Amino acid sequence: MADLKHDASRAAVIADLLKALAHPVRLRIVALLIENEATVSALEQLLGVPQSVVSQQLRILRMADLVQYRRVKGFATYSIKQPRLADLIHCLEGCRTHDF
């Protein structure tokens, strides 16, 4: 497998993944789902944002193949589809330049 610096198509795929994560609410959703699966209403409460915003951001994450859902008692329960996202999120948190 070619490395990233020599493979333009691989770089494009990774750039698309980063674009899918490049929103504060989506990052927070992924961070929450790394810990536990959750419904839209649970994410709405945990994030303090409207259900429509949560649903829209989950749709983007689903389209990027980063999260998945299953129906439980009529409710969509979301989970991480790509387990290595946990490594990426932890890495990104370590890259911050200052404490908040």
Side-chain angles (χ1 to χ4, degrees), residues 6 11 25 29-30 35 37 42 65 80 89 92 95:
H6 296 109
V25 173
I29 288 170
V30 169
E35 293 180 357
E37 62 183 21
D65 208 29
I80 294 297
I89 295 301
L92 291 171
C95 290

Side-chain angles (χ1 to χ4, degrees), residues 34-83:
I34 286 168
E35 293 180 357
N36 291 303
E37 62 183 21
T39 62
V40 173
S41 60
L43 291 169
E44 174 186 10
Q45 290 178 339
L46 290 166
L47 296 168
V49 298
Q51 179 271 330
S52 60
V53 173
V54 173
S55 294
Q56 178 184 32
Q57 302 311 320
L58 283 166
R59 181 182 56 77
I60 292 167
L61 292 169
R62 273 195 334 267
M63 289 174 55
D65 208 29
L66 300 176
V67 300
Q68 60 193 358
Y69 73 96
R70 61 187 173 87
R71 291 277 175 195
V72 178
K73 298 181 182 177
F75 295 97
T77 300
Y78 286 84
S79 61
I80 294 297
K81 188 170 183 181
Q82 303 295 335

